Amino acid sequence: MAISSNDLLLFCSLVLFITPSLAQTSFRPKALLLPVTKDASTLQYVTQINQRTPLVPVKLTLDLGGQFLWVDCDQGYVSSSYKPVRCRSAQCNLARSKSCVQSCFSPPRPGCNNDTCAHLPDNTITNTGTSGELATDIVSIQSTDGKNLGRVVSLPNLAFACAATFLLEGLASGVKGMAGLGRTRISLPSQCSAAFSFDRKFAICLSSSSRVNGVVFFGDGPYFFLPRDIDFSKSLFYTPLILNPVSTAGAFFEGEPSAEYFIGVKSIKINGNTVPLNTSLLSIDKEGVGGTKISTVNPYTVLHTSIYNALARAFIKEVANIPRVTPVAPFGACFNSTFVGSTRVGPAVPQIDLVLQSNTVIWRIFGANSMVQVRDDVLCLGFVDGGVNPRTSIVIGGHQLEDNLLQFDLATSRLGFSSSLLFHQTTCANFNFTSNA
């Protein structure tokens, strides 16, 4: 991605501006950490930060491709450290905002102040967006050495967008906003790395269980999971992250690129056999349509109808010895699970390979990530038909990400992925959440 000299000068000045204001502490952590819980009702991945003065816990739905943190400021937002971001300020420029709130027609309060920077928070579950005031407030977050929890550190001026209460519709119970991890300068990973001067990397490891936590790391490895004394950051496969030049958000400013994370899937194989596809769907066109992205807001992988049909046909052919049963929504291919064996990496079904930049770089999906147990005796192929006109041809959803470690390197635009941790006799729920501080 090309960077103009003007952008470079602006970024350098903003780093000088943002670093001391965000993290006023002599302790410099190498990485930060958020626990992540799978909500059983919505299948959303939920985390929690402590924000405001005095600090209060704020539950958030995790949005891997979200532009920034946004929270509901209409109901009960009280904080003595809340500061609206002024129009045309350095932080407003950092956010790439193209809008300002000149006058707010009510007494000043969080989310309603005059001459402030405005942004466009969006709910990516319901695909709705609105305009909201950009602001800063204090956030405290746990540090980590990659093995245990460390000291709690503070970011006194973490930028976020205020949203109206209606934007919470469709989010998990008790959630007050969304935690955006996307490719912007004010996403949570970008602000954390700027605050503490560590690498512009973060990693997610989502638990498949709603009873135990997964984890998000901000910063580089090591990433250890019990009981194995292995740094999984050292055993990743890598593929380039692709920039979609057209925003895929529900609300955005004209000319913005997408904040979501796209990768270059070239073909799909089942049991080593290539699935016949319309490969033009795998590329992003000039309108930003097509390609493959990774999402935590879609519970299952969503495919263009022609890709879904080809995948389902090929999979059914490979498991012809397993009796089919009536499909259970939202799935289209379901089977009698009493005829399916079990392995360390889930149900004994053919592996599905996403072939990336070459035939030697493969994201391999085993039974634990390809199949969904919907009833005691019914197992379904965990991919969903997304229709004939989806914005993105392949959306790799949460179920396919669970118990896989994914590292996003924003500086080099590269994705590192582990494939299933079950092979290593561990899971994303096995981070040691005890403290060594």
Side-chain angles (χ1 to χ4, degrees):
M1 180 176 63
I3 301 176
S4 71
S5 58
N6 287 339
D7 283 344
L8 188 59
L9 288 170
L10 174 62
F11 172 65
C12 291
S13 65
L14 288 169
V15 167
L16 293 173
F17 167 80
I18 198 170
T19 301
S21 65
L22 272 179
Q24 295 171 349
T25 175
S26 58
F27 172 64
R28 290 284 174 177
K30 293 184 177 179
L32 306 175
L33 174 148
L34 287 174
V36 180
T37 303
K38 184 178 182 179
D39 180 73
S41 297
T42 62
L43 304 184
Q44 293 168 24
Y45 301 96
V46 176
T47 189
Q48 181 173 288
I49 62 171
N50 290 305
Q51 186 197 42
R52 311 172 195 177
T53 303
L55 288 169
V56 297
V58 181
K59 286 178 66 177
L60 304 162
T61 292
L62 194 73
D63 183 3
L64 175 65
Q67 302 173 83
F68 40 72
L69 167 67
W70 66 260
V71 300
D72 172 20
C73 292
D74 280 358
Q75 291 190 335
Y77 195 107
V78 178
S79 175
S80 62
S81 49
Y82 177 94
K83 300 173 187 173
V85 173
R86 293 302 168 191
C87 189
R88 294 176 294 277
S89 66
Q91 279 184 309
C92 192
N93 289 332
L94 185 68
R96 299 286 178 99
S97 170
K98 298 180 181 179
S99 177
C100 290
V101 178
Q102 300 298 336
S103 299
C104 188
F105 300 104
S106 71
R109 60 173 175 80
C112 185
N113 293 275
N114 294 340
D115 192 33
T116 56
C117 186
H119 221 299
L120 301 172
D122 65 323
N123 178 332
T124 49
I125 301 289
T126 59
N127 292 314
T128 55
T130 187
S131 178
E133 178 175 278
L134 198 67
T136 67
D137 211 334
I138 188 169
V139 168
S140 69
I141 189 169
Q142 203 90 41
S143 66
T144 181
D145 61 1
K147 283 190 173 183
N148 301 89
L149 298 182
R151 293 165 54 179
V152 173
V153 296
S154 293
L155 291 82
N157 294 291
L158 189 127
F160 69 101
C162 274
T165 303
F166 80 85
L167 209 60
L168 299 178
E169 184 179 353
L171 299 185
S173 177
V175 161
K176 297 301 180 184
M178 301 189 80
L181 310 183
R183 300 179 74 162
T184 72
R185 289 293 181 183
I186 59 167
S187 68
L188 281 179
S190 292
Q191 291 197 70
C192 289
S193 64
F196 296 107
S197 302
F198 52 60
D199 289 341
R200 293 184 62 222
K201 297 180 182 180
F202 72 97
I204 65 171
C205 205
L206 303 177
S207 173
S208 58
S209 171
S210 60
R211 297 183 297 274
V212 285
N213 288 337
V215 62
V216 175
F217 299 97
F218 299 115
D220 204 351
Y223 311 130
F224 285 90
F225 296 88
L226 298 172
R228 312 290 288 174
D229 190 27
I230 298 173
D231 174 9
F232 284 96
S233 71
K234 304 298 185 186
S235 55
L236 300 175
F237 306 94
Y238 293 97
T239 192
L241 289 168
I242 297 170
L243 182 68
N244 186 332
V246 181
S247 178
T248 48
F252 58 93
F253 295 115
E254 186 177 357
E256 280 188 325
S258 176
E260 298 193 85
Y261 296 98
F262 285 76
I263 58 173
V265 172
K266 303 301 183 187
S267 65
I268 300 175
K269 294 182 178 181
I270 297 178
N271 245 5
N273 300 313
T274 300
V275 177
L277 301 176
N278 176 358
T279 55
S280 68
L281 296 172
L282 302 180
S283 299
I284 301 169
D285 69 18
K286 63 182 180 180
E287 305 297 327
V289 175
T292 301
K293 72 180 182 182
I294 306 169
S295 169
T296 57
V297 299
N298 292 87
Y300 307 103
T301 292
V302 182
L303 305 173
H304 185 286
T305 291
S306 70
I307 298 176
Y308 173 81
N309 288 339
L311 178 79
R313 281 194 300 266
F315 188 87
I316 290 167
K317 181 179 178 181
E318 292 290 341
V319 295
N321 60 323
I322 303 175
R324 293 183 65 187
V325 299
T326 302
V328 178
F331 308 112
C334 297
F335 307 88
N336 186 329
S337 64
T338 62
F339 288 78
V340 181
S342 182
T343 73
R344 181 187 294 178
V345 288
V349 296
Q351 66 202 29
I352 299 173
D353 291 340
L354 305 181
V355 181
L356 301 170
Q357 66 265 36
S358 73
N359 285 326
T360 60
V361 184
I362 294 169
W363 183 332
R364 182 154 288 169
I365 301 172
F366 296 98
N369 295 107
S370 66
M371 307 302 290
V372 179
Q373 191 84 44
V374 296
R375 290 201 280 266
D376 286 344
D377 59 349
V378 178
L379 197 62
C380 296
L381 180 64
F383 294 75
V384 176
D385 184 344
V388 296
N389 290 304
R391 181 66 190 267
T392 303
S393 301
I394 300 175
V395 181
I396 302 173
H399 184 71
Q400 281 67 42
L401 305 179
E402 290 171 354
D403 294 319
N404 285 244
L405 176 67
L406 303 180
Q407 184 193 63
F408 298 82
D409 188 333
L410 305 182
T412 64
S413 200
R414 185 175 74 162
L415 171 71
F417 59 99
S418 66
S419 194
S420 179
L421 296 184
L422 301 179
F423 252 136
H424 301 279
Q425 298 178 299
T426 190
T427 71
C428 287
N430 282 349
F431 180 77
N432 187 359
F433 281 97
T434 60
S435 177
N436 63 2

